[in-house]
């Protein structure tokens, strides 16, 4: 039963992708067709009385002392963040010796990170779409091509969810474009895709890692966290369940980079990811190599 449900979720996400590419339906049609249910669609918002926030046991307590959580709450309440919204704020990113422009989008809900299952649900705001939008709005404009990324639990510096907004590295962008044929076009097939993409290692310089890559038309109406989890279910094969996939979310990095031919590359990796055709390559649990953030 779990396997069928997981397959149905992946198939439904792919069906929405086809509809978006074909221009056959808007959000209203999708909602009317019942396509927003259980697939993590960003617009599927339950009545206010039914909306529940993140579980403090899983996602952190509002009383936690994480410095990013505290700082984001302070500038949000004082209306002094670079961008202020009821659901998220935008703050300055890491200081760069080379002066790279980067920002972070931080939810106003207490969400420790990518492992919090609430962000895959239909009541969660579309944080990715918001980051993509604010990366083009003064005073948080990022040079194009704009890359967005989130780190795994092990590699991040703060235990409050944040999406990095920075220019995609030229090498990375070129590698993705040159290997369009290796990318997947469906959420289910995303699990088996393998693409070698160069990025920056602070210790080794520009080197490739292996990634899973999905070509997607846009994500204004899609929850990329839910799509990632559905893909992980598919990656588990026989016996894969949403619960098992959720346990793997903490190890994932997720990156979004615009595709020159239209749409976006949705890029995922984890430290243990292996490419059977390139066994010498390793995966990575950080988005940093593909984005111009540092040094």
């Amino acid at each position: 039963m779990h396997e069928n449900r997981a397959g149905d979720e992946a198939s439904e996400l792919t069906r929405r992708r086809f509809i978006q590419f074909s221009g056959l339906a808007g959000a209203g049609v999708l909602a009317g067709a019942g396509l927003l249910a259980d697939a993590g669609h960003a617009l599927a918002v339950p009545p206010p009385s039914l909306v529940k926030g993140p579980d403090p046991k899983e996602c952190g307590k509002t009383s936690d002392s994480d410095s990013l959580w505290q700082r984001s709450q302070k500038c949000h309440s004082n209306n002094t963040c670079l961008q202020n919204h009821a659901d998220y704020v935008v703050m300055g990113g890491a200081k760069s010796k080379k002066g790279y422009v980067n920002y972070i989008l931080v939810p106003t809900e207490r969400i420790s990170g990518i492992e919090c299952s609430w962000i895959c649900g239909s009541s969660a705001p579309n944080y990715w779409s918001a980051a993509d939008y604010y990366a083009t709005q003064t005073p948080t404009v990022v040079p194009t091509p704009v890359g967005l990324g989130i780190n795994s639990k092990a590699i991040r510096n703060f235990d409050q969810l944040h999406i990095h907004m920075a220019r995609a590295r030229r090498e990375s962008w070129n590698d993705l474009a040159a290997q369009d044929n290796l990318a997947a076009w469906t959420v289910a097939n995303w699990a088996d895709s393998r693409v070698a993409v160069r990025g920056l290692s602070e210790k080794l310089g520009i080197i490739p890692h292996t990634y899973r890559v999905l070509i997607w038309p846009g994500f204004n109406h899609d929850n990329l966290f839910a799509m990632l989890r559905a893909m992980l279910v598919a990656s588990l094969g026989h016996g894969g369940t949403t619960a098992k996939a959720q346990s793997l979310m903490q190890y994932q990095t997720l990156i979004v980079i615009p595709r020159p031919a239209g749409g976006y590359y949705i890029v995922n990796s984890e430290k243990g990811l292996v490419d059977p055709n390139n066994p010498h390559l390793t995966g990575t649990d950080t988005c940093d190599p593909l984005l111009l953030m540092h040094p």
Side-chain angles (χ1 to χ4, degrees), residues 57-74:
K57 293 182 181 179
E58 181 191 22
C59 305
K61 300 177 182 178
T62 56
S63 58
D64 288 344
S65 60
D66 180 81
S67 62
L68 179 57
W69 165 244
Q70 296 290 343
R71 287 189 289 115
S72 62
Q73 284 291 288
K74 183 177 181 179

Side-chain angles (χ1 to χ4, degrees), residues 1 8 31 53 58-59 82 91 101 103 114 116 120 131 184 197 212-213 237-238 241 253 255 284:
M1 179 176 178
D8 289 345
E58 181 191 22
C59 305
L82 295 175
M91 305 169 66
V101 177
Y103 303 98
I114 194 171
C116 175
C120 294
V197 183
R212 304 178 180 107
V213 180
H238 182 73
T241 66
T253 184
I255 308 104
T284 177

Side-chain angles (χ1 to χ4, degrees), residues 266-277:
I266 314 299
V267 183
N268 158 258
S269 191
E270 57 187 281
K271 208 163 187 180
L273 188 65
V274 175
D275 181 353
N277 297 317

